[in-house]
């Protein structure tokens, strides 16, 4: 799908000058928003990855941490490439009043399109895997270590990346009808993943509330350990379950407009003036997806006290110089 060429054909038409100007203003507004979201997304995900890497408190030793790392890398790539490429394109087209675009700007936009397909789609799949792993941890805690291992989690993350890279190559290089591929993509990716996430979200919520009411989650997770370790494991598991719940909810909120607008774009026939409104809706849809990418890392800071503790500990260790100070800061958070 080459939305740059499609929207350029509409913009360069002589009809509906006011709608053309309105659409360009929407593109400019999205460009400005992406210019803000891009550095925020990069900063938040670099901070997240650095905190996990320098986790002196060992809060991120579970296999599911690699889902978080995979999601962080995916969002970081989106913020570092796709968002600035799109922002430059939209702002430049507004400044040129929809006229001829510089070749480098158009090339960057076209490079950003397949990257966005891979990163955003794979982030949905990673969150789906993360949700399933949390359901296993809550529903079948004794089987969790057998079913969710470090190698399997890394394999799931790599599989999501490889799958969508291959799909994107087919989309852009196969020569198959683009509309047909996009219709298949809509059915098996946004729609199917969203349905699965919705079912898992309900399942996760019910299983989590049942465990909280029974107050048996901590004991079932680590029944043979000491009470303090038992409590820590329970709190970390509960925190990760809540974070997964929020991540899944945000995915669904951003996916529903995407599905609705993509259905209209692929299956409906509309006149030139209606096409302008569809493209405006596409810009709003894209902005919601990029907002979801930016929010992922902030969810950890908002709902995961273990992340905030690890971040503070890493920060204090980096600014402390004496070995005595380091040991004191370590004792504060253990």
């Amino acid at each position: 799908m080459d939305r740059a060429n499609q929207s350029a054909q509409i913009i360069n038409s002589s009809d509906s000058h006011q709608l053309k100007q309105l659409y360009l203003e929407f593109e400019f507004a999205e460009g400005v928003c992406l210019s803000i979201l891009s550095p925020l997304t990069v900063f938040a995900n670099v901070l997240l990855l650095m905190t996990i890497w320098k986790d002196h408190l060992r809060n991120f030793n579970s296999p599911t941490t690699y889902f978080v790392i995979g999601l962080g890398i995916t969002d970081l790539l989106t913020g570092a490439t796709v968002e600035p490429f799109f922002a430059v394109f939209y702002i430049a087209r507004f400044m040129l009043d929809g006229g001829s675009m510089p070749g480098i700007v158009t090339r960057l936009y076209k490079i950003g399109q397949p990257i966005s397909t891979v990163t955003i789609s794979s982030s949905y799949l990673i969150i789906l895997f993360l949700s399933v792993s949390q359901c296993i941890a809550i529903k079948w805690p004794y089987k969790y270590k057998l079913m969710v291992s470090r190698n399997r989690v890394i394999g799931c993350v790599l599989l999501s990346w490889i799958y969508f890279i291959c799909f994107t190559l087919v989309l852009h290089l196969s020569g198959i009808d683009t509309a047909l591929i996009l219709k298949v993509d809509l059915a098996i990716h946004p729609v199917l993943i969203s349905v699965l996430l919705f079912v898992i979200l309900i399942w996760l919520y019910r299983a989590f509330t049942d465990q909280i009411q029974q107050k048996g989650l901590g004991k079932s997770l680590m029944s043979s350990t000491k009470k303090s370790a038992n409590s820590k494991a329970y709190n970390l598991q509960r925190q990760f379950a809540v974070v997964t719940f929020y991540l899944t909810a945000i995915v669904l909120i951003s996916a529903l407009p995407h599905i609705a607008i993509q259905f209209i774009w692929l299956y409906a026939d509309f006149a030139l003036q209606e096409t302008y409104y569809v493209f405006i809706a596409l810009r709003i849809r894209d902005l919601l997806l990029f907002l979801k990418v930016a929010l992922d890392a902030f969810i950890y800071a908002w709902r995961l006290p273990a992340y905030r503790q690890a971040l503070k500990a890493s920060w204090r260790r980096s600014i402390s110089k004496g070995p005595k100070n380091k040991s004191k800061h370590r004792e504060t958070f253990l």
Side-chain angles (χ1 to χ4, degrees), residues 177-195:
D177 181 52
T178 302
L180 176 61
I181 296 179
L182 291 176
K183 289 177 181 178
V184 173
D185 169 52
L186 180 63
I188 65 175
H189 295 146
V191 173
L192 180 59
I193 291 177
S194 296
V195 170

Side-chain angles (χ1 to χ4, degrees), residues 197-325:
L197 277 173
F198 182 74
V199 172
I200 293 173
L201 183 68
I202 296 175
W203 186 24
L204 178 63
Y205 177 78
R206 293 184 62 179
F208 182 67
T209 53
D210 288 345
Q211 291 286 3
I212 292 296
Q213 291 175 357
Q214 295 171 4
K215 296 182 180 180
L217 180 58
K219 292 181 180 180
S220 63
L221 282 172
M222 307 215 19
S223 58
S224 62
T225 58
K226 295 180 181 180
K227 187 175 181 180
S228 59
N230 203 2
S231 177
K232 181 178 180 181
Y234 166 74
N235 288 331
L236 287 175
Q237 183 62 57
R238 183 178 63 180
Q239 292 168 18
F240 271 102
V242 172
V243 166
T244 303
F245 183 86
Y246 278 99
L247 288 174
T248 305
I250 290 176
V251 166
L252 290 174
I253 292 172
S254 64
L256 291 178
H258 168 72
I259 293 171
I261 296 169
Q262 197 74 353
F263 260 113
I264 295 172
W265 173 243
L266 291 174
Y267 290 98
D269 295 323
F270 25 78
L272 177 62
Q273 291 186 350
E274 295 170 336
T275 304
Y276 276 108
Y277 292 115
V278 173
F279 269 96
I280 289 173
L282 288 171
R283 297 285 73 78
I284 297 173
R285 176 207 66 179
D286 290 347
L287 188 58
L288 289 175
L289 293 176
F290 290 127
L291 182 61
K292 172 262 171 197
V293 171
L295 287 176
D296 284 344
F298 288 99
I299 291 295
Y300 297 106
W302 175 41
R303 296 300 309 177
L304 197 59
Y307 169 67
R308 296 196 297 270
Q309 291 177 355
L311 178 61
K312 291 177 183 178
S314 298
W315 173 256
R316 293 186 178 184
R317 283 177 64 92
S318 65
I319 63 175
S320 61
K321 296 181 180 179
K324 294 182 179 180
N325 289 337

Side-chain angles (χ1 to χ4, degrees), residues 45-87:
N45 284 282
V46 167
L47 196 63
L48 173 66
L49 295 173
M50 290 294 293
T51 301
I52 294 175
W53 179 45
K54 295 184 176 182
D55 178 27
H56 304 291
L57 302 180
R58 304 181 66 82
N59 285 332
F60 297 94
N61 285 336
S62 68
T64 52
T65 296
Y66 292 94
F67 284 134
V68 178
I69 294 174
L71 185 61
I73 294 173
T74 301
D75 291 342
L76 175 61
L77 185 60
T78 303
T81 58
V82 178
E83 292 177 1
F85 293 171
F86 282 21

